[in-house]
Amino acid sequence: MNITIEKEKKTFSKDETVNMPKKEKKAVYETKQLNLWYGDNHALKNIDLDIYENEVTAIIGPSGCGKSTYIKTLNRMIELVPGVRTSGEISYRGRNIFDSDYRVEELRTKVGMVFQKPNPFPKSIYENVAYGPKIHGIRDKKILDQIVEKSLRGAAIWDEVKDRLHTNAYGLSGGQQQRLCIARCLAIEPDVILMDEPTSALDPISTLKVEELVQELKKNFSIIIVTHNMQQAARISDKTAFFLNGEVVEYSDTNKIFSNPSDKRTEDYITGRFG
Ligand SMILES: Nc1ncnc2c1ncn2[C@@H]1O[C@H](COP(=O)(O)OP(=O)(O)O)[C@@H](O)[C@H]1O
Ligand SMILES: [Mg+2]
């Protein structure tokens, strides 16, 4: 009798190991019933969207559907636009970023952003990357040197610039400038990187480099990327949200969105029937 129990116990614990649930991904952002108005223009409508850590989340949809508005809301850059109103909630790591005591500076140290057009400062490559850490009070030259190297390596541009760190960033190609802007983002050790059509101004080879980089970066960061290039979304993202007229029509695993969408409008969009 005892022996049987022992046996059963053993079998049970073995099964338990086999059936151990995969470590659930944590939500970085939870958006609940978000609405946004520019004056009378209702630009975001009842958005519900959870974004998971260490994933690439792509936001696709036709021009003017609210993609940029949405990602600018995630770091509260949107509040720089006069006349903007929001309702609903965006939680970042469990705290509503619209709470009156939420310090926007704190959010910005956690959430970096890369824009459509590379926008380096008119300063040296080194200074572009060291700028953020300096603002955060880091003065030690050795530490700054380390941060600059680590960030440039992280953005896969170190080998191309290591011998010209003190030359002006404007001397770099567009693709290099964009990777420099990514390095500038990494220098503040963010948690999330927001990218708004980061490759739309780049040539195909630079685009490929940035896409490869995004794949690499998701090991350490959570990435949200707006793209109107559906092949890009299919290539590099884990999840895809399809926006249309300020609404999320469908949000799912990227594979599903591109192979078996649930909504007719998604299907029409990804097959190029409008856009
Ligand atoms: N700064 C702004 N002021 C007023 N309306 C804006 C502003 N930015 C965007 N909009 C409007 O909000 C809607 C969504 O725009 P946007 O988020 O830029 O779309 P997308 O990035 O998908 O092209 C559009 O109707 C656009 O005209
Ligand atoms: Mg846009």
Side-chain angles (χ1 to χ4, degrees), residues 114-131:
V114 176
F115 299 85
Q116 184 167 0
K117 254 189 88 206
N119 60 348
F121 307 127
K123 289 173 183 279
S124 71
I125 293 166
Y126 184 98
E127 284 304 323
N128 263 275
V129 184
Y131 182 84

Side-chain angles (χ1 to χ4, degrees), residues 38 41 43 61-70 72 81 196-197 226:
Y38 293 106
N41 182 359
S63 187
C65 67
K67 305 180 296 296
S68 296
T69 300
Y70 179 64
K72 278 191 259 172
V81 180
D196 193 350
E197 308 208 16
V226 168

Side-chain angles (χ1 to χ4, degrees), residues 15 47-48 56 76 100 138 147 186-187 198 204 214 230 233 236 245:
D15 278 352
I47 307 269
D48 286 312
V56 177
R76 280 181 47 188
S100 55
I138 297 172
I147 294 174
L186 300 184
V214 167
M230 283 183 278
I236 68 172
N245 298 326

Side-chain angles (χ1 to χ4, degrees), residues 37-189:
W37 294 263
Y38 293 106
D40 295 337
N41 182 359
H42 194 179
L44 296 176
K45 299 166 190 160
N46 301 321
I47 307 269
D48 286 312
L49 200 64
D50 290 350
I51 287 168
Y52 296 94
E53 66 183 8
N54 301 112
E55 288 195 343
V56 177
T57 304
I59 297 182
I60 62 168
S63 187
C65 67
K67 305 180 296 296
S68 296
T69 300
Y70 179 64
I71 72 164
K72 278 191 259 172
T73 309
L74 295 175
N75 69 351
R76 280 181 47 188
M77 237 179 79
I78 200 73
E79 65 197 29
L80 300 172
V81 180
V84 163
R85 238 166 5 102
T86 58
S87 71
E89 189 178 312
I90 296 181
S91 291
Y92 165 68
R93 298 277 183 200
R95 272 182 68 206
N96 184 2
I97 64 170
F98 299 138
D99 278 351
S100 55
D101 62 349
Y102 203 114
R103 289 175 53 246
V104 76
E105 300 77 17
E106 191 189 323
L107 186 65
R108 303 267 171 83
T109 64
K110 295 288 176 197
V111 183
M113 184 147 180
V114 176
F115 299 85
Q116 184 167 0
K117 254 189 88 206
N119 60 348
F121 307 127
K123 289 173 183 279
S124 71
I125 293 166
Y126 184 98
E127 284 304 323
N128 263 275
V129 184
Y131 182 84
K134 278 185 178 173
I135 286 194
H136 291 115
I138 297 172
R139 290 274 171 268
D140 187 315
K141 166 110 174 37
K142 261 207 200 118
I143 294 175
L144 287 171
D145 287 353
Q146 282 167 7
I147 294 174
V148 169
E149 177 170 345
K150 189 175 170 216
S151 307
L152 290 167
R153 282 186 188 280
I157 191 181
W158 170 252
D159 290 338
E160 290 159 64
V161 300
K162 62 177 192 288
D163 300 323
R164 51 195 282 206
L165 290 178
H166 298 287
T167 63
N168 197 297
Y170 283 8
L172 298 172
S173 73
Q176 289 173 324
Q177 288 186 13
Q178 195 62 306
R179 279 178 288 140
L180 175 65
C181 292
I182 294 171
R184 189 174 64 186
C185 228
L186 300 184
I188 60 159
E189 301 195 329

